[in-house]
Amino acid sequence: GPYQPGTPDRDALIAELEAVAPAGVSIAYTAYGSQDELIAMVEAGGVDVLITSDTSTLFALSGHLANLKRLKPLAQRAQFMTRLGNQYGDYLIDVVRQGKKLLAGPIRTDIKSLVWYQPSAFAAGGYAVPKTFKQLAALSNAMVTDGETPWCTYIGSGAVTGWAGTDWVEDLVLGHKTGRFYDRWVSHDVLFDSFGIKQAFKRFRKMIDTPGYVYDRANIATVSWMDNAAALEAGDCLMHRQGWFLGNFFTAPEDVDTFFFPGTKGRKAAMGTTTFVGMTNLRPVVKQLMRAILHPSFGTEALSQIDTWIMPNTKFDRAKYANDRTKKWANRIRVAVEGNAYRMDASDQMPEPVGFAAFFTGIVDLVNGTKTIKQIVTTIDAAWP
């Protein structure tokens, strides 16, 4: 939904925008809470650029942004699209395209396809980082045999409990299927009640219901997802699948590391969120700012303030990532983008009754064993507007 960064993210973003803004232009940031609120702000003329990680917001606004045009003259549109495709990959451009109109440009991306672990625990157990999902299952079995518990999978999150499980399913779809299949699922051209999606649900169920796999299995739908960090550090489990943001919850972050959630052999996919910026008028200074935002150097100032930012522009100078972990994540995203295997979180892009309701509820039903997978996917498909 709305991009509402707290500090230090917000400060880093504003510092970056100030660094690239045309001379004499000041940056003022205002948060918004809903699409309707944003539309009202735009219509009142108080917004020059808007920032969101929700593509549906951009499409909802496109009818209100009558003046939104490309940053280059229309005669050069094909060249401009090609150039942006070369920098960001076709997917991140196509996902914010409406016909021939580009609605926004990507400015930041994050990775969710991670498994957190303690290298010291892996070394003690003689465990190798798995490269495929088959190896991940074999590793889980080996840990159980050794008397260890492989997974912490708490998914509690108040009114939105279930999103942490949708991330599992999304990774399991993307890691075993093509990006095109994933896109067709997001647009409901592929039903939840299709073999490929039900297979992902079954793989997730295997990881939570195989005896011995999960720590505190009975309570995983009620305990907060944030508590996975403490459980991992305590050695209650040896792995946890979670996005980059889990790094904020460790007491000794230097003792933990990540590996990439593995899929089919050789498939270097990555799933996450991307933040986009669009402009709501064609004032010369706004077009100038947008050109700077879409330049490969954008992000340099932000990275000097916060070391977990990842730039979606594949031409961004990777030497500017001072943090080795962030550099590793950025490299994976770049490889995934270049291989057309980077995708945004599916539930975030689905209509609200599906992505933020039925899919979440379906995960809770799966975890609690109150419905079969067939019943779950049928219910989710029925929720589609």
Side-chain angles (χ1 to χ4, degrees):
Y3 179 67
Q4 295 182 338
T7 50
D9 288 68
R10 184 177 60 239
D11 294 342
L13 171 70
I14 292 170
E16 181 65 46
L17 291 172
E18 285 175 343
V20 302
V25 170
S26 61
I27 302 294
Y29 168 80
T30 307
Y32 68 94
S34 68
Q35 277 187 11
D36 289 344
E37 193 183 328
L38 178 60
I39 287 169
M41 286 164 65
V42 171
E43 287 179 333
V47 180
D48 289 312
V49 296
L50 62 98
I51 301 172
T52 181
S53 53
D54 179 6
T55 54
S56 66
T57 293
L58 293 166
F59 288 104
L61 276 163
S62 64
H64 297 268
L65 307 181
N67 290 327
L68 192 74
K69 290 180 180 174
R70 290 185 185 84
L71 307 179
K72 293 281 184 183
L74 294 181
Q76 296 177 32
R77 66 174 180 262
Q79 287 171 292
F80 182 57
M81 289 296 188
T82 301
R83 179 163 68 80
L84 286 184
N86 288 338
Q87 291 180 198
Y88 298 100
D90 292 337
Y91 169 75
L92 285 178
I93 298 306
D94 288 344
V95 83
V96 286
R97 212 165 147 170
Q98 195 171 46
K100 290 184 173 182
K101 187 161 65 172
L102 185 69
L103 299 181
I107 58 165
R108 177 186 177 175
T109 197
D110 295 318
I111 189 164
K112 283 186 163 186
S113 305
L114 301 171
V115 179
W116 293 84
Y117 74 108
Q118 287 186 303
S120 58
F122 267 49
Y127 305 128
V129 167
K131 301 287 187 215
T132 65
F133 183 74
K134 196 173 174 182
Q135 288 177 5
L136 183 68
L139 173 63
S140 301
N141 290 336
M143 289 173 172
V144 172
T145 301
D146 292 346
E148 299 283 1
T149 303
W151 295 98
C152 285
T153 55
Y154 290 133
I155 64 165
S157 194
V160 291
T161 295
W163 67 261
T166 66
D167 286 0
W168 267 91
V169 173
E170 289 156 3
D171 262 338
L172 288 164
V173 172
L174 188 58
H176 294 269
K177 294 287 184 180
T178 63
R180 174 81 185 117
F181 180 91
Y182 186 96
D183 296 339
R184 290 176 61 222
W185 174 44
V186 167
S187 62
H188 210 215
D189 293 327
V190 165
L191 299 181
F192 274 79
D193 190 9
S194 68
F195 177 79
I197 306 305
K198 286 188 288 193
Q199 190 73 7
F201 274 88
K202 285 175 183 169
R203 287 183 168 120
F204 175 49
R205 186 176 63 188
K206 174 184 176 168
M207 300 312 278
I208 58 172
D209 279 346
T210 300
Y213 267 28
V214 170
Y215 171 70
D216 195 19
R217 172 66 183 86
N219 295 306
I220 64 171
T222 51
V223 178
S224 170
W225 64 271
M226 299 176 201
D227 289 7
N228 290 300
L232 185 72
E233 284 189 303
D236 295 328
C237 61
L238 299 185
M239 295 181 286
H240 175 57
R241 197 228 65 86
Q242 187 58 274
W244 66 278
F245 43 83
L246 191 74
N248 296 325
F249 298 95
F250 293 104
T251 56
E254 66 279 2
D255 293 340
V256 292
D257 201 358
T258 60
F259 61 85
F260 301 111
F261 189 84
T264 301
K265 188 176 182 182
R267 183 158 169 73
K268 288 183 163 54
M271 184 271 292
T273 52
T274 299
T275 302
F276 295 91
V277 61
M279 61 179 181
T280 64
N281 64 62
L282 286 174
R283 288 168 56 212
V285 288
V286 178
K287 294 203 298 192
Q288 205 177 330
L289 176 63
M290 286 294 286
R291 281 192 204 100
I293 286 170
L294 293 174
H295 191 275
S297 64
F298 183 83
T300 305
E301 179 63 32
L303 264 179
S304 72
Q305 297 199 17
I306 185 165
D307 65 3
T308 53
W309 271 42
I310 297 172
M311 303 307 150
N313 196 316
T314 59
K315 309 300 183 199
F316 183 77
D317 180 4
R318 294 191 300 281
K320 289 174 178 167
Y321 293 111
N323 180 329
D324 287 342
R325 183 182 290 161
T326 306
K327 186 181 286 187
K328 183 172 75 170
W329 297 344
N331 282 339
R332 177 55 169 251
I333 288 177
R334 181 181 57 84
V335 168
V337 165
E338 289 173 349
N340 194 27
Y342 174 81
R343 288 297 183 270
M344 285 159 52
D345 185 301
S347 61
D348 285 354
Q349 300 177 78
M350 292 173 179
E352 223 163 77
V354 181
F356 287 83
F359 197 177
F360 289 0
T361 305
I363 291 295
V364 175
D365 288 337
L366 182 72
V367 167
N368 291 337
T370 49
K371 283 186 180 175
T372 64
I373 286 175
K374 174 69 177 174
Q375 289 171 325
I376 290 166
V377 295
T378 302
T379 303
I380 299 172
D381 280 329
W384 214 278

